[in-house]
Structures are given as C-alpha cells and as structure tokens.
Amino acid sequence: MRDSCGTRDKCPPLRTMPAIQGPAATGGAAGGQEGGTGTAKGPPAGEESQGAPRDPAQANEAHGSSGSRDKGSNASVHGDVAGQEESQSELFPDNAENGKDKQAAHAPAESMAGDREGTQDLIQPAAGEAQESSDSQREEPAVASTTGDPANAPASGLPGDSERLKQDQSVMQKAYLDVLGDDMGPQVSCYIRAPSYLLQHLECRIINSMSSLIVSDNEELVSNVITVECSAVETRIPFPICIAIPFTARYRGNYKDIMVKVSDINLQSSYLTPSSLEGVRGSYKGTCAEVKVYKLGIFSVVSCLKKESFTVTKKGLTLKPSMDSRISLHYPPGVFSSPVLVQLKIQPVDPSLVAYLKTQQDTSYSVLSTSPLVHVQHPSTHPFQKPVTVLLPCSSHPDKKNFGSEIDHKRPASITTKSIIPLYLSRTKSASIRKPGNNACESLKLLGFRSRDSAWFGLDDVVVRTTQSGLISFEMCEHIERFIVLHLSSTVDNSHLVSFVKSLEEALLSTSACVVLYHRKDNPQRVVVSVVPSKDLNQELRTLHLEAFCGPPEPSRHFQVKEGEQLLLRFTGNIFASSNGKDYGKDYKLIFHLQRKPRLELQIKEVDEFGNYSCSHYKGTIVVYKIPKEKIVHNLDQSPILNENHYQLPVCKLPLKLPKHEKLLNRPQSTKRISTDPTEALWENLLYWLAEELSEENTTCLCSSLPLRRSTIQLIKLKSPDDLTEQIHELLCFWKKSLPNSTDKLRLLARHLRKIGRSDLSEELKFKWENKVFTDLQQWSHVAE
C-alpha cells in the first residue's frame, strides 16, 4: 500500500495534463489503459506550454510509436490528410470536375469530421468564440506535452485528455466580422466551418478596393471581396474547409450562373460551383454561396455566363443547352474519332442595343436583328470529320414589347417593361422598329471569331437558312470559338459587319449609367454620391427620397461604364469634401458594379467663406473621370494606385451648391465708456435712479423740454423699444454729453424737472449730489473710494 500510495503521489494532477489535440492522443489513452502501469516523464526545463493548442500533425509524430490498434488507424488517417494537403497546395480546382476529384481524395478527413459534425456542430458568434476558448485555457493551465511513449502516461490523465481532444477536433461554424467604413457598423464577411482550433487562427478581411481587378469580362460582382489567411504559419490546415460567403444577386436569369471565384496573390483565378445558395446562418437569413476549398486566398461571388459541358462520343450527340431550348448543335455519328469534351456558353443580345448601335454607325443601318452570341470550345486537336448543324433563334422583326425578355427571364413581376428598356432607346425609336413585310433583299450572314487569328471574319461560303418562324440553321465545318448571325435588309460589305460586331461585343460589356448627387434635407452639408444604372434610376431616386435625401442637382447625363471600372470624383470651385469630417480636399473614387449599388456619403464644406460674395450660396463642381483597368496598379495592402497622367476627358460634371450659413457677430451691448472718476460714477448712478422714477408721461414732457432732436429721440426708442427705463437713461446720458464741460449740469437738470412738475425729484437730486448718496441698484461708492 505504501508503494502504491507513493506511485499515486508521483502522478501529476489532472489539471496539469497537456492539451493534446492530435488523434494519436486517443490511441495513447487506449494504450495506457491496456498497459496499466508506467510513469509519465517530466517535461524538459524551459518548455512550459503557453496555452496554445498543439498542431495535430505534431501530436501524431510525438505519439507515432504507440502499439494500439486504434491509435494506428487514427494516425494513418491524419497521415494521409497531411500528405494530401502537401500535394493539394500546388493544385487549384478549375471546374466542378476537379472539385469532385479532390473531394474524393479527401474522403477520410471529411468522413472523420462529418461524424463529429452531426453531434458537435455549433454556430458561434465571431466575438465570443475566441474569448470562451481563452477562458477555458486559463482555467486549465497546461504544461509541456509528454514526449515519451503514450503508453507510459498515467491513467489519471486520460479522461481530461479525451475531453480536450474532442473539444479541439470538433467541427464548428464561425462568423467573421469586418467594418467597411468609419460610419458603418460591422457586417459578416463570411462563415467558415472547420475544426475549432483552426478557427482561432483564421483571419478574414473585406478588401472591396480590389474588386475592379477581381472581375473579368462577362462577370458581375454580387458579394464583398474577402481574403482569408491563417495567422499561425506552422498550423497544418485540414483541407477541405467550408466557406460560405453572403451575397445579393438582384438579376438572376437563365443565362447567368452564380460562382465563387478564388484568386491568389497574383490574381490567378479559378471557379468553384457552390454546393448551396440558401440557408439560415445565425441571425443572417439571406443567400450564401457555400463551397469546399483546398487553398486559402481571395474569394468573391460573381454572376457570370452559365457554362455547360457535353461529351460528344463517336456516336454523335445533339446538344440542347438549358439556357435556351431553341438553340441546338447536332453532331452526327463519326464527327470525332474519339470522345471530345465541348463547352458551351450563350450570350443574348438585347434588340434595343442593336437599335442604339445602328444610330452610332451609319454603315450598320441594314442590320435588322441578330442571333445570340454563342461561345463554343472544342479541342483543337480534333478536327471535324463531318459538318455540325447549328440551330439558332434570329427573329427578323423584333417586337418592342419583348425587349429585354431574353436578357432576364426571372426578374420580379413588379419591374415594368419601361424600366427594362435602356434610356438611350428613347432617342432611337425610328431605328428600332421596322414594319413587317417581305423584302427580297433580306439576307442572313454568319460571322465568326478564331483565337489564332484574333479577329472576326465573315463566312461567305456558309449558307444560313430560315427553318421556321424565328429560327435559322447552318452547317459549321471548322472550329470557331465565337459566332453570331446577322439579319440584314440589304447586302453589306464584310468589313462594315465586322466593325458592327466588334462594337456590339464591346457594348455587351458596358452599361448605361449616371451619377446622382443628393443633399440631406436636414443637413445640406451631408451629400450622397451614387452611380446608378439608367434602368434603375427611378427606383434609386425614390429610395433616396425615403432616406431624406433630395436634389438639386439633377442626375448627370448618361454614359457607358463597364463592370469594375473606377470613377474618380474631383471637387473643384469653392467646395471640397471629406469622408470623415476632417481631411478635406481629397479625390474620391467609386467602383461600378451593376448589382452592388456603389455609393459614397461625404461631408462638403466651403473652401473660402468670403468667396461667392454676390450669391446666396457657395458654388462648386464635381468632375467625374473614368479610369480604365489598365491604368490601375495592383497592390494588396493598399488601394489601387492611380496614374495622374492618364486621365481621360471627364464623363460628366455636376454643379454643387451649399447654402451660406448665417454669421453670428458678437457685438457689445453698449458703447458707453465706464469711467473710474468718482464724479462720473455718481452722475451715472443718479441718472439711472432718475430714469426709474420718471413715468412715461414725465418722459414725454421731459423730451419736449430738453433741447434734443426728434431723430435722436426716435433712434433711442428703436434701440430699446420695450424698456422705458433704458430709454430715459439713454436720453439723459445723451443730453449730458451734449453739454459743455463748464455747464452746471445739476442746476440745469433740476430746473427742467421743476418745469415738468417734478419738484420733489429736483430737491432729492440736489440732496444726493451734495451728500454723494448712491442708490442700492449700483453701489458706486467703492469705485469713488
């Protein structure tokens, strides 16, 4: 018993056992129970734990010598995960197929995390989880991890290690918050589901200043641009981890798809298909794009053209994309000698856009309508053995009421047709509608684009036929990356058609927009500047009115702007602006995103308060410049750097007015001199006493008796219209100052008092003067002494 008690005393207490996070700890516990004996080796000097959780991979290596069967299986699982993580660090999923392969490769790690996820998945706030974790670590101080054989660990420490292991390896979800501006509260940047120990080391920041460099052609940003990093460099990340990014897509159509774009520090990007777009996460009930990632970096949610992939075998295939059932590509049997992967994207063309381009180019007057712009990708190593039949919609008589129907099939019913039609259509009504009729000169022309030539060209040898109402067909005998069919009213040279298609392709990437500048009703110094698409202008103005903002000025003229382009706002004239109320005189930028509603709230102020002296308000101007993407230098740590020497002409100007504030001047209440002469002080006191004793009737008689001008009396009354005592006092003081110094003022004033019938005041005035008696109202005796 003495030996057993001594052995028990040598065992460390339960609270001092290290926090082992690796799965090998479970195996070590099992081994210790089987062995039943053994003592723990003391920790080396100077290696006390700081309370940070250990790396699971290090725990595996430290306990790799255990003979337990459970420990061996768990260690092999984590060994596979570590090895896979090293191999996956060099890879990047480019499409959904790659993502599926990588998920299959990481099946052991996912299944292990999924078992725990069913019982221990928690939704924790970002602000509370780290604090709770640190509090739990402070309650249980840990010492250095045991470096010996886990089988030698004492049995008394096993329950605590098992609970700590389960807590650290449990899969949890955490919301990460970030602040966009000084006057805005924090918002959720993303939700991450991963082991709890990893969530403490992940950092997420919103970097919307990089958005102009993130989006590419035919993409629209619908979320914040975030970056996810791991602060602990030595921590192995058990990929894959789940990241859910909140987004808001206002326009969702058949031709668009929601994708998560993943970029590295060099802006090399790949796309991931979200596994889910809905779901309630904590207090947030909006849409979130959830993906499994195998690498950290820059994440964003974009709306891009839907891409569908098909495999064409030797037996052939008829492709019917889900975007538009009217489109089909028929590959006959034997068109390829081996299976070929074909990728297809459809870009619709708004008829109103065609009408607008016809007004800009005189040579394209004969273009009646166009088919959708088709993007198709074949492997160049597999030439066509047989021609491919293509069927496309191309109406010869576009109906005005259907404008925009192909652009967005899922818009809310509350949006009217008038709001869908771009504003520039109002100037091109004569060119947009053509009366139906048969024209023998009408023709169909196919134009294609090959990347090796980097140019559009007309395919004169391809015959385009009309199969039925609104549908056309032709046979394609070679690889063409992009093609479009033009319906012409007359024969046009190919060079003019190529120029038209180039302009059309450029216009498809642009949006008609304007700049709105409104003042706050209760505070004209607070302004909001917003870049609004033309079709959303009326709705945006109503929203600003509800937020207590109003004009003038009126919205700017409409101009074309691309997704991700930056607009520089430069304040000129006698008004400048500040975003924080301190730093005035800077230029500000807005990055245009069609579905993100870019806006900027500023505080304006006059440069010179004495300027614009002839107006009732201060005057200034906002000059708006458009900065192309190629003029922006990319820097992750700072905002994009603007090159001052490459500004284009301003796209618009907005007049700015600021009402002048009323100036408050601190003028003295009286201009009378206060003298320290005892005689003057006595006179001041006696005149004020006399003013209190005289009535309004006495004052009228005294004014007529004293040698005073009528204008002087009127001026005194205007200075104090409601105070009779002050009027009489000012009147007596003015009379006294108008007399020469040698005049006997006391005798003269007493005679005037007797003249108006106040002999009592005359006698009392003489008595106070001779005896230097001051009234209680103003004790001038201290001044006289």
Side-chain angles (χ1 to χ4, degrees):
M1 292 181 62
R2 184 181 300 108
D3 294 339
S4 62
C5 292
T7 304
R8 189 181 297 111
D9 293 339
K10 292 179 183 179
C11 295
L14 178 61
R15 286 183 175 273
T16 60
M17 289 302 296
I20 302 177
Q21 296 188 11
T26 306
Q33 289 177 355
E34 291 175 1
T37 60
T39 59
K41 297 182 182 180
E47 295 185 5
E48 293 185 359
S49 174
Q50 302 299 324
R54 290 187 55 201
D55 188 0
Q58 296 177 0
N60 292 341
E61 296 175 2
H63 301 282
S65 60
S66 175
S68 172
R69 180 167 43 188
D70 296 339
K71 189 234 40 162
S73 61
N74 290 335
S76 63
V77 170
H78 268 255
D80 294 341
V81 173
Q84 293 169 6
E85 190 274 333
E86 292 177 359
S87 62
Q88 293 292 346
S89 64
E90 303 296 331
L91 298 176
F92 222 72
D94 293 333
N95 47 40
E97 287 76 10
N98 293 343
K100 293 179 182 178
D101 296 340
K102 292 176 186 281
Q103 292 174 10
H106 289 75
E110 282 188 56
S111 61
M112 184 173 62
D115 294 338
R116 300 188 183 93
E117 182 180 349
T119 58
Q120 300 187 17
D121 185 18
L122 301 175
I123 299 178
Q124 299 182 358
E129 182 176 358
Q131 181 67 26
E132 293 176 4
S133 177
S134 61
D135 292 342
S136 63
Q137 291 181 3
R138 281 195 292 269
E139 291 177 0
E140 292 190 21
V143 297
S145 302
T146 304
T147 57
D149 191 350
N152 297 330
S156 60
L158 295 176
D161 289 345
S162 178
E163 294 177 1
R164 181 70 62 83
L165 175 65
K166 292 180 180 180
Q167 181 180 0
D168 294 336
Q169 292 296 327
S170 61
V171 177
M172 298 182 180
Q173 181 172 273
K174 180 177 178 180
Y176 289 83
L177 306 179
D178 200 0
V179 180
L180 289 179
D182 297 335
D183 55 347
M184 301 177 64
Q187 65 171 276
V188 177
S189 57
C190 68
Y191 298 89
I192 300 180
R193 180 178 297 172
S196 58
Y197 77 91
L198 179 62
L199 295 177
Q200 303 174 14
H201 300 295
L202 293 181
E203 297 178 354
C204 182
R205 294 184 296 112
I206 298 177
I207 52 171
N208 286 338
S209 60
M210 295 286 299
S211 63
S212 59
L213 302 174
I214 293 298
V215 292
S216 304
D217 293 341
N218 293 318
E219 293 179 359
E220 296 173 2
L221 184 69
V222 295
S223 74
N224 290 320
V225 180
I226 65 173
T227 174
V228 181
E229 301 173 345
C230 184
S231 59
V233 182
E234 300 178 355
T235 301
R236 283 187 177 273
I237 303 177
F239 289 112
I241 62 175
C242 290
I243 298 181
I245 306 173
F247 73 95
T248 302
R250 296 187 292 153
Y251 307 132
R252 301 269 294 274
N254 291 341
Y255 299 93
K256 294 286 186 176
D257 206 355
I258 299 297
M259 302 290 287
V260 175
K261 191 172 185 177
V262 188
S263 308
D264 58 11
I265 193 172
N266 297 321
L267 300 183
Q268 300 296 323
S269 302
S270 61
Y271 298 85
L272 300 178
T273 302
S275 59
S276 173
L277 295 178
E278 305 293 339
V280 178
R281 303 175 185 274
S283 60
Y284 181 78
K285 299 181 181 180
T287 53
C288 286
E290 181 177 341
V291 291
K292 290 184 178 181
V293 301
Y294 296 84
K295 189 175 182 179
L296 303 182
I298 303 173
F299 298 88
S300 59
V301 184
V302 297
S303 174
C304 55
L305 289 178
K306 185 180 295 185
K307 180 171 64 175
E308 294 189 3
S309 300
F310 304 88
T311 301
V312 181
T313 62
K314 295 181 181 179
K315 297 180 180 180
L317 181 69
T318 298
L319 304 183
K320 284 188 173 295
S322 62
M323 296 86 79
D324 194 338
S325 59
R326 300 172 296 176
I327 301 175
S328 66
L329 279 77
H330 176 67
Y331 292 84
V335 65
F336 295 121
S337 58
S338 61
V340 167
L341 179 66
V342 179
Q343 293 181 341
L344 186 66
K345 292 191 295 185
I346 308 298
Q347 188 169 7
V349 178
D350 195 335
S352 63
L353 184 60
V354 177
Y356 170 72
L357 292 176
K358 290 171 62 175
T359 63
Q360 303 298 313
Q361 298 181 4
D362 296 336
T363 56
S364 59
Y365 66 93
S366 61
V367 178
L368 300 178
S369 62
T370 70
S371 70
L373 179 60
V374 181
H375 304 249
V376 60
Q377 188 173 5
H378 299 89
S380 58
T381 55
H382 293 72
F384 290 170
Q385 304 296 330
K386 296 180 179 180
V388 177
T389 304
V390 180
L391 189 65
L392 294 177
C394 184
S395 176
S396 59
H397 312 298
D399 191 3
K400 179 180 178 181
K401 66 181 181 181
N402 292 328
F403 283 173
S405 60
E406 294 183 352
I407 300 299
D408 197 347
H409 295 287
K410 296 184 180 181
R411 291 185 180 177
S414 60
I415 300 180
T416 62
T417 307
K418 181 179 179 181
S419 64
I420 297 176
I421 301 174
L423 188 67
Y424 49 69
L425 185 61
S426 61
R427 301 191 299 267
T428 59
K429 290 182 179 179
S430 60
S432 59
I433 306 299
R434 191 180 64 88
K435 293 182 179 181
N438 297 324
N439 189 350
C441 297
E442 291 185 4
S443 62
L444 296 170
K445 188 72 172 183
L446 174 65
L447 285 88
F449 180 91
R450 279 193 297 256
S451 57
R452 67 172 184 265
D453 300 329
S454 299
W456 284 90
F457 59 95
L459 285 86
D460 298 328
D461 54 342
V462 176
V463 179
V464 183
R465 301 179 178 88
T466 301
T467 59
Q468 51 182 307
S469 177
L471 293 180
I472 59 173
S473 67
F474 61 90
E475 292 184 348
M476 186 169 56
C477 301
E478 57 179 332
H479 294 300
I480 302 176
E481 282 86 6
R482 299 196 296 272
F483 55 85
I484 189 173
V485 176
L486 304 182
H487 191 164
L488 306 175
S489 62
S490 60
T491 304
V492 184
D493 186 70
N494 282 346
S495 60
H496 299 319
L497 297 180
V498 168
S499 176
F500 173 79
V501 173
K502 287 181 179 179
S503 302
L504 177 64
E505 200 173 27
E506 185 73 14
L508 288 172
L509 304 178
S510 303
T511 303
S512 177
C514 62
V515 178
V516 176
L517 170 66
Y518 270 13
H519 297 259
R520 194 169 185 86
K521 292 181 180 179
D522 55 351
N523 185 9
Q525 291 185 339
R526 297 289 299 180
V527 299
V528 58
V529 185
S530 179
V531 184
V532 186
S534 301
K535 56 187 175 183
D536 298 336
L537 179 59
N538 294 332
Q539 179 64 31
E540 181 67 15
L541 295 183
R542 285 193 293 267
T543 302
L544 291 176
H545 281 295
L546 293 177
E547 297 178 5
F549 287 98
C550 63
E554 295 296 326
S556 71
R557 69 176 183 87
H558 297 261
F559 55 89
Q560 297 295 316
V561 59
K562 294 182 180 179
E563 177 77 11
E565 275 191 324
Q566 291 191 5
L567 299 177
L568 182 72
L569 309 178
R570 174 162 294 174
F571 289 79
T572 61
N574 199 26
I575 295 178
F576 52 9
S578 170
S579 59
N580 55 10
K582 298 178 182 178
D583 303 325
Y584 285 88
K586 294 183 178 180
D587 296 337
Y588 295 93
K589 70 174 183 298
L590 280 172
I591 304 177
F592 176 77
H593 295 291
L594 180 62
Q595 304 193 45
R596 291 282 293 168
K597 291 185 178 180
R599 61 183 293 175
L600 186 65
E601 293 193 17
L602 300 172
Q603 184 170 350
I604 60 175
K605 183 181 178 182
E606 71 278 1
V607 178
D608 182 10
E609 63 175 340
F610 301 104
N612 307 118
Y613 59 88
S614 61
C615 299
S616 60
H617 49 262
Y618 300 109
K619 293 182 178 181
T621 305
I622 293 184
V623 185
V624 182
Y625 297 90
K626 189 164 58 175
I627 305 173
K629 289 185 179 181
E630 57 270 14
K631 305 300 181 184
I632 303 173
V633 180
H634 141 243
N635 191 340
L636 257 183
D637 300 326
Q638 300 176 1
S639 299
I641 302 171
L642 307 179
N643 192 340
E644 295 281 347
N645 298 326
H646 292 87
Y647 286 147
Q648 298 178 348
L649 294 176
V651 293
C652 66
K653 295 182 180 180
L654 282 173
L656 193 59
K657 295 181 180 180
L658 183 62
K660 292 184 177 179
H661 48 80
E662 184 179 356
K663 299 178 181 179
L664 300 177
L665 300 179
N666 296 325
R667 294 187 176 93
Q669 295 182 355
S670 177
T671 58
K672 297 187 300 290
R673 295 181 181 179
I674 299 177
S675 176
T676 58
D677 186 5
T679 304
E680 292 294 331
L682 181 59
W683 263 114
E684 185 72 21
N685 187 270
L686 291 176
L687 292 179
Y688 202 90
W689 164 80
L690 187 59
E692 289 185 329
E693 297 296 328
L694 292 173
S695 63
E696 185 176 359
E697 184 181 355
N698 298 147
T699 304
T700 305
C701 296
L702 186 61
C703 289
S704 61
S705 176
L706 293 176
L708 295 174
R709 295 180 180 180
R710 183 179 297 179
S711 60
T712 302
I713 298 174
Q714 291 178 352
L715 180 61
I716 292 174
K717 288 182 178 181
L718 290 175
K719 289 179 65 177
S720 303
D722 300 327
D723 194 347
L724 181 61
T725 302
E726 188 66 26
Q727 291 180 15
I728 300 173
H729 181 259
E730 288 285 340
L731 189 68
L732 294 174
C733 289
F734 188 84
W735 168 79
K736 175 179 170 293
K737 292 179 181 179
S738 64
L739 299 176
N741 294 333
S742 59
T743 304
D744 188 355
K745 303 177 182 64
L746 179 64
R747 185 177 63 84
L748 190 59
L749 182 57
R751 187 176 68 180
H752 283 290
L753 290 174
R754 288 193 301 269
K755 186 176 179 180
I756 66 173
R758 296 302 302 267
S759 300
D760 55 337
L761 294 179
S762 174
E763 295 298 331
E764 192 173 355
L765 180 63
K766 290 181 179 180
F767 175 79
K768 289 180 177 292
W769 175 262
E770 292 173 357
N771 296 283
K772 293 183 172 43
V773 177
F774 287 85
T775 62
D776 294 336
L777 186 62
Q778 292 184 353
Q779 295 294 336
W780 293 96
S781 59
H782 299 289
V783 181
E785 294 176 358

